[in-house]
Amino acid sequence: MGRKRGSRLGSRRRCPHRDAGSRRRSRGWFVAVFDDVEGAFPRLGEPGELRDTLELVTRLATELTPSPLADVPTVAEAYEPELTGWRTFVTEGPPADLDSWSLRHLTKLAELEAAWPTAAEGNTLLHTDLRPDNMLRRPDGAVLAVDWAWACRGAAWIDLVALAPSIAAAGVDPDPIIATHSVTRDVDPVAVDAFVCALAGYWAAACRKPGPPRSPRLREHQSRFARLAGAWLACRLGWQ
């Protein structure tokens, strides 16, 4: 899940104020405001930096519930057209190189994927694209979320589950985090499974599309995350 715009929500409840921006746009102007933040991308394989990142997730879920912005779409409205990879494979036929586990369970994966929009309902303002290069860790350890291009409203746990494949990519098992973190520990595991399934299906479909000329490594990245999310999903579901 990833596209860009450069604004920031960070250590305090400081949310974009749209009224002034709207007035300026009506006169033909668009105003963007930026903070100059000293920091680096958090390394999720480093325990301390992962801990600081998870504290950001907690802070966002706490401070942005209920959503301070009423005019952003729900996560289902924004992403349901894209998170349909397994269902697309069912209706159009699976790719010839689809792995045997996914092929064997394709119908069930499509059914599980279809449940994610209902599972994701909520009224938290979500980033929806948390990953290391969309965060900055300051020298004091505080992690900030940047690039709020696709803010949505939905269940508070969505951002952590969307971040989990990046945690797995750093060599850390995300399941103990999902089981114990305050935003996910009380969530129905089937709801988490449905969203992980949707992410895996998205990457499985996207990585097989022609590569965009301006992002020559995008499909390689998506292929890697398709494998990571697929392996995590298979472990969570226990399907043989």
Side-chain angles (χ1 to χ4, degrees):
M1 299 167 71
R3 295 155 291 186
K4 290 184 176 287
R5 177 176 67 200
S7 58
R8 163 187 164 244
L9 293 180
S11 57
R12 299 185 302 278
R13 187 168 185 151
R14 300 175 56 193
C15 303
H17 191 286
R18 294 198 167 189
D19 292 342
S22 297
R23 288 195 295 271
R24 283 172 172 77
R25 282 196 296 272
S26 70
R27 296 195 296 266
W29 290 87
F30 179 83
V31 178
V33 180
F34 300 90
D35 284 343
D36 183 11
V37 178
E38 180 184 357
F41 300 147
R43 297 169 296 176
L44 302 182
E46 295 292 325
E49 298 191 21
L50 176 59
R51 181 191 64 242
D52 294 339
T53 301
L54 295 175
E55 289 177 358
L56 166 68
V57 173
T58 302
R59 192 165 69 246
L60 293 178
T62 300
E63 297 180 359
L64 299 180
T65 305
S67 173
L69 300 179
D71 60 342
V72 295
T74 67
V75 67
E77 290 169 341
Y79 285 102
E80 188 169 15
E82 297 186 41
L83 300 186
T84 60
W86 302 121
R87 284 169 285 174
T88 299
F89 289 165
V90 167
T91 57
E92 299 182 2
D97 61 345
L98 188 65
D99 66 277
S100 59
W101 183 87
S102 298
L103 188 61
R104 190 161 58 250
H105 298 294
L106 185 55
T107 300
K108 291 195 294 182
L109 290 170
E111 292 172 352
L112 181 59
E113 176 187 69
W116 83 262
T118 299
E121 290 176 356
N123 193 30
T124 297
L125 183 65
L126 302 171
H127 184 284
T128 74
D129 198 17
L130 286 184
R131 58 179 196 253
D133 62 338
N134 276 343
M135 296 181 284
L136 286 173
R137 184 175 180 270
R138 298 190 312 209
D140 64 2
V143 177
L144 309 178
V146 302
D147 222 347
W148 287 76
W150 302 101
C152 300
R153 289 178 292 114
W157 54 268
I158 289 289
D159 273 339
L160 179 53
V161 176
L163 175 63
S166 293
I167 296 173
V172 178
D173 181 0
D175 263 330
I177 296 170
I178 299 297
T180 58
H181 194 280
S182 60
V183 304
T184 46
R185 65 191 176 205
D186 296 324
V187 177
D188 184 351
V190 176
V192 175
D193 291 343
F195 191 60
V196 175
C197 181
L199 292 177
Y202 166 75
W203 282 314
C207 73
R208 291 174 165 86
K209 296 178 180 179
R214 294 185 180 181
S215 296
R217 301 187 64 182
L218 176 62
R219 301 309 183 209
E220 176 185 348
H221 166 82
Q222 291 172 332
S223 180
R224 183 186 181 210
F225 272 69
R227 293 191 298 271
L228 285 166
W232 182 32
L233 179 64
C235 183
R236 287 185 59 86
L237 295 175
W239 298 348
Q240 298 304 311

